[in-house]
Amino acid sequence: MTKFSRRQFILTAGAATAASLLAHGCSSAPTNTSTSTSTTVPAVNVNPADAPEVTAAKLGFIALTDSAPLIIAKEKGLFDKYGMKDVEVVKQASWPVTRDNLEIGSQGGGIDGAHILTPMPYFMSLGQTKNKQPVPMYILARLNTNGQGISVANAYKDLKISLDSKGLKNAFAQAKSGGKTDFNVAMTFPGGTHDLWMRYWLAAGGIVPEQDVSVVPIPPPQMVANMRTGNMEAFCVGEPWNAQLVNQGIGYTALVTGELWQDHPEKALAMRSDWVDKHPKAAKAILMAVQEAQQWCEKPENKEEMCQIVSQAKWFKVPATDIIERSKGNIDYGDGRPLVTNSPLRMKFWADNASYPYKSHDLWFLTENIRWGNIPADTNIKEIVDKVNREDLWREAAKTLGVAAAEIPTSTSRGIETFFDGVKFDPDKPEEYLKSLAIKKV
């Protein structure tokens, strides 16, 4: 099966490289002044005993709506509020660039932490880095649940493909009989959340990834452009890119990922473990600022302002109209289905324990990556989850922040999870889940 042409690859990789150079060499931190009408949160007097060891940190983000808590914490002065007055929130070109900048750290011109795909801190801790050496990482919080989408090119609109991908399998088979051999679907990073949602959806419909279709990585901001030029049949990415595709009439949304797995975990706030271990009070201050920002982002009355802020050129550089509706849970699939309003599958930042990093969810991500051959089958997944997932730090920050006890989970497991096709994942028995799956590499 053919992959992207060399010319197409160079276009993609070249853009990422150029943006990486900007991130390393000549980026300037966004100012702390919001263009919105709301005032920033006034600074509080930090108890000297709790004062952060340092006031500066560099945090990366990708232009996706689920990075909003970091941006809002910056724009609303929440980092300042907890004594971290010199935090920079720096745009990254792609997930590989984010990984590489985390590997070198801020002292080497990179970053200390990031808005990140949840599996990536595990890959880095296991040595899947540019230099093939482990970079121990901590997950401090989940940034959101839900809020991603799988979109399909207009060429397949008449097939009305949604949760069931079988129609796409039949379309591929028919096209192959007519001589077409190149079928591409895109995600944002191998083994990342979008890759796993795409593969789960394809496999549930009997489509074998890498056999029936090529699964290729594309940076989120380049998804719509690649669909426009006919480079792909489908993609999985976060917002605002699915909504933008619909708004531009290039394709449609087959499903939002909450339909695959209701209230599924998505992005994380992760930091280098050596930075956190050296600056525990600073890490706690960052975590408190992000938690407060997540609460702010969750409130319906703040959605419009949140979207106006993140849409700015220094953040996403997209029209706010591409962000706002799905942020409110209003979903135009773009294929004639009725408009969904106030969907319970909207992106959540705080509601229903969206911020708490359940260890059971990380066990699923690692099990799925074993399924697709991204990590060794004999990986001790419970051991590495206990090292990387610092839900204890989340609890400590939440209690100091004054979060109500009812909003702090009492267990590190959300229990047995059920997917759209009836498959269940018991975090106490991940091997049984793996055995039950018909399509897998292992």
Side-chain angles (χ1 to χ4, degrees):
M1 183 169 297
T2 59
K3 303 287 186 180
F4 275 8
S5 70
R6 178 174 175 79
R7 179 183 64 83
Q8 291 165 330
F9 173 78
I10 290 173
L11 286 172
T12 301
T17 302
S20 175
L21 291 172
L22 286 171
H24 283 171
C26 57
S27 65
S28 59
T31 64
N32 190 46
T33 303
S34 172
T35 59
S36 63
T37 56
S38 295
T39 57
T40 56
V41 178
V44 297
N45 293 323
V46 178
N47 186 317
D50 297 326
E53 302 85 356
V54 293
T55 60
K58 287 187 178 181
L59 305 176
F61 80 98
I62 294 285
L64 293 164
T65 307
D66 40 40
S67 68
L70 269 64
I71 295 169
I72 293 302
K74 179 66 180 178
E75 289 276 358
K76 292 294 181 180
L78 297 176
F79 292 125
D80 296 28
K81 177 179 177 180
Y82 296 106
M84 295 299 295
K85 63 183 180 65
D86 299 309
V87 168
E88 297 178 53
V89 180
V90 186
K91 186 182 291 186
Q92 308 294 294
S94 65
W95 295 120
V97 170
T98 301
R99 175 200 59 204
D100 296 347
N101 282 339
L102 282 167
E103 183 176 4
I104 61 178
S106 62
Q107 291 184 337
I111 55 179
D112 304 303
H115 151 253
I116 202 167
L117 299 165
T118 289
M120 289 180 66
Y122 288 99
F123 296 155
M124 295 183 68
S125 298
L126 289 168
Q128 294 186 22
T129 60
K130 189 173 183 179
N131 292 321
K132 311 301 181 187
Q133 295 297 317
V135 177
M137 298 288 297
Y138 288 155
I139 287 176
L140 303 184
R142 202 79 67 204
L143 287 178
N144 69 299
T145 57
N146 299 330
Q148 320 302 295
I150 294 179
S151 290
V152 178
N154 276 339
Y156 302 97
K157 186 179 285 189
D158 291 345
L159 299 178
K160 300 186 183 301
I161 296 162
S162 55
L163 265 177
D164 189 349
S165 64
K166 287 190 181 71
L168 206 56
K169 178 181 176 66
N170 296 335
F172 290 166
Q174 185 174 355
K176 282 181 181 178
S177 66
K180 180 176 171 64
T181 59
D182 189 10
F183 301 93
N184 295 304
V185 298
M187 45 74 188
T188 61
F189 187 84
T193 55
H194 304 121
D195 188 24
L196 300 183
W197 309 140
M198 176 62 82
R199 288 172 184 270
Y200 194 101
W201 177 66
L202 293 172
I207 300 172
V208 182
E210 310 304 348
Q211 178 178 307
D212 298 328
V213 62
S214 296
V215 184
V216 297
I218 299 290
Q222 296 180 29
M223 288 288 188
V224 175
N226 274 279
M227 187 77 89
R228 183 186 296 111
T229 56
N231 285 340
M232 61 186 68
E233 276 60 54
F235 63 61
C236 182
V237 73
E239 298 302 339
W241 308 111
N242 299 283
Q244 185 177 92
L245 185 83
V246 170
N247 290 344
Q248 294 185 10
I250 299 167
Y252 70 96
T253 299
L255 61 118
V256 293
T257 48
E259 296 173 68
L260 292 178
W261 176 11
Q262 185 172 347
D263 291 342
H264 67 76
E266 186 52 43
K267 305 300 187 304
L269 168 64
M271 297 194 74
R272 289 176 57 110
S273 61
D274 57 1
W275 195 96
V276 174
D277 292 342
K278 186 177 180 180
H279 313 109
K281 294 177 182 178
K284 181 178 178 180
I286 288 172
L287 190 44
M288 291 170 66
V290 171
Q291 288 174 336
E292 186 168 336
Q294 288 182 280
Q295 294 177 43
W296 188 92
C297 291
E298 189 65 43
K299 294 178 180 178
E301 62 267 28
N302 293 334
K303 296 294 184 184
E304 291 273 1
E305 184 183 356
M306 180 192 82
C307 294
Q308 289 294 335
I309 291 172
V310 301
S311 70
Q312 296 173 38
K314 64 180 177 180
W315 300 119
F316 292 3
K317 199 177 181 180
V318 299
T321 51
D322 287 344
I323 312 173
I324 183 60
E325 293 304 325
R326 293 198 182 193
S327 293
K328 292 179 176 179
N330 301 330
I331 304 166
D332 177 4
Y333 288 89
D335 62 354
R337 276 177 277 178
L339 177 71
V340 174
T341 58
N342 196 29
S343 170
L345 304 180
R346 69 186 183 281
M347 184 179 293
K348 298 176 184 178
F349 297 101
W350 187 262
D352 302 320
N353 301 324
S355 174
Y356 176 74
Y358 284 100
K359 289 187 175 182
S360 60
H361 291 161
D362 289 4
L363 287 169
W364 181 83
F365 282 122
L366 292 176
T367 302
E368 273 292 290
N369 272 296
I370 289 174
R371 174 187 186 182
W372 299 114
N374 294 318
I375 60 175
D378 60 356
T379 301
N380 187 330
I381 58 175
K382 184 179 184 306
E383 181 179 71
I384 191 168
V385 166
D386 286 341
K387 288 180 180 177
V388 174
N389 184 305
R390 295 303 306 273
E391 59 81 32
D392 58 316
L393 300 183
W394 186 97
R395 291 174 186 273
E396 181 183 341
K399 289 176 182 177
T400 304
L401 195 62
V403 173
E407 295 182 54
I408 300 178
T410 57
S411 171
T412 61
S413 174
R414 202 170 71 174
I416 296 173
E417 304 284 351
T418 303
F419 297 83
F420 83 103
D421 54 354
V423 172
K424 296 181 183 296
F425 175 74
D426 184 343
D428 292 329
K429 303 173 183 177
E431 65 285 346
E432 291 189 7
Y433 165 84
L434 200 55
K435 289 176 182 177
S436 74
L437 301 168
I439 297 176
K440 53 181 179 280
K441 279 193 174 182
V442 295

